[in-house]
């Protein structure tokens, strides 16, 4: 219930002067950003935490839910029936959330910089009328100066808030790490860490941390090696 939500808490970087216009390299990086990495790349995803111990393979050369293959679940190879049930949960089309579209670019500030990188912070635009978390969240994008690529993305809550009457989020932080471009290889996802802590029904504390690592990247659009 929105009426139960606390007013958004300001983050210290909010008081910095907004950038106008945005640097050209930042605009270019955001316009081409996809949280899951560039299209056409296959990868293996290993996830642990939150009750999951799962290894999956994504191959864009296949169609529909068959692009995803469950390699193991809690250390065991899946049966044919388990593979089918797994694929029934996968989308037939890519449906990654467009995080860049939720950035309030007018709120951008230069939060940090050093010799190798610059970090920009944004407020978030709600993704819909039921998105009660966005006013309490901030996003930080770190750009590598040499390549202009995004090397790190952080989403974090500025303070406790209530997305629902029976749920209090005390801490929420997601970090996405990317490798830097090298030769013909673009920036690719390396690791995603999600951490959330809070209370359910006012008295039941919970805390969850989920880590996904990405490996064995393959350019599915490239010609096969002889």
């Amino acid at each position: 219930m929105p009426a139960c939500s606390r007013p958004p808490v300001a983050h210290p970087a909010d008081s910095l002067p907004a950038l106008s216009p945005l640097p050209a390299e930042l605009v270019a990086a955001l316009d081409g950003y996809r949280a899951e990495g560039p299209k056409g790349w296959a990868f293996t995803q290993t996830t642990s935490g939150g009750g999951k111990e799962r290894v999956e393979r994504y191959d864009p050369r296949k169609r529909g839910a068959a692009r995803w293959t469950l390699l193991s679940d809690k250390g065991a190879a899946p049966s044919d029936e388990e593979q089918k049930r797994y694929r029934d949960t996968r989308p037939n089309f890519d449906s990654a959330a467009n995080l860049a579209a939720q950035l309030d670019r007018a709120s951008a500030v230069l939060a940090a910089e050093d010799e190798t990188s610059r970090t920009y912070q944004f407020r978030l635009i709600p993704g819909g009328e039921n998105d009660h978390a966005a006013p309490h969240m901030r996003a930080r994008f770190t750009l590598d100066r040499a390549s202009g690529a995004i090397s790190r993305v952080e989403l974090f809550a500025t303070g406790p808030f209530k997305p629902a009457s029976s749920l209090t989020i005390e801490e929420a932080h997601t970090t996405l790490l990317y490798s830097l471009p090298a030769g013909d290889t673009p920036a690719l996802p390396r690791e995603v860490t999600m951490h959330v802590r809070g209370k359910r029904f006012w008295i039941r504390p919970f805390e969850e941390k989920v880590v996904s690592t990405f490996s064995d990247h393959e350019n599915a659009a490239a010609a096969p090696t002889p």
Side-chain angles (χ1 to χ4, degrees), residues 68-207:
W68 287 93
T69 299
L70 179 60
L71 301 181
S72 69
D73 190 7
K74 296 183 178 179
S79 65
D80 291 344
E81 180 60 29
E82 288 170 334
Q83 188 74 255
K84 181 181 183 302
R85 287 200 301 267
Y86 164 79
R87 284 179 170 156
D88 286 343
T89 67
R90 308 308 303 181
N92 287 321
F93 302 96
D94 287 328
S95 56
N98 188 357
L99 174 59
Q102 273 197 268
L103 300 179
D104 179 1
R105 297 195 183 190
S107 71
V109 299
L110 179 60
E113 67 176 326
D114 56 27
E115 295 81 4
T116 62
S117 64
R118 291 188 177 97
T119 299
Y120 301 90
Q121 182 172 299
F122 303 82
R123 295 176 183 267
L124 294 184
I125 301 169
E129 61 180 11
N130 294 321
D131 184 357
H132 307 308
H136 305 272
M137 304 294 292
R138 298 292 183 270
R140 284 192 166 190
F141 282 68
T142 298
L143 264 64
D144 174 62
R145 282 184 156 182
S147 64
I150 294 171
S151 61
R152 181 186 183 98
V153 175
E154 293 179 82
L155 293 170
F156 60 93
T158 58
F161 67 98
K162 293 180 68 65
S165 60
S166 60
L167 178 64
T168 299
I169 300 298
E170 297 175 345
E171 181 182 359
H173 202 129
T174 298
T175 303
L176 302 90
L177 302 178
Y178 298 86
S179 63
L180 293 178
D184 295 331
T185 303
L188 295 168
R190 291 193 296 115
E191 182 179 285
V192 176
T193 302
M194 294 179 287
H195 176 244
V196 62
R197 178 174 57 85
K199 290 186 177 70
R200 295 187 180 96
F201 299 104
W202 305 283
I203 59 173
R204 292 170 53 189
F206 71 92
E207 185 169 9

Side-chain angles (χ1 to χ4, degrees), residues 47-49 51-55 72-75:
T47 301
S48 61
K52 289 184 177 181
E53 296 292 338
R54 176 176 285 183
V55 182
S72 69
D73 190 7
K74 296 183 178 179

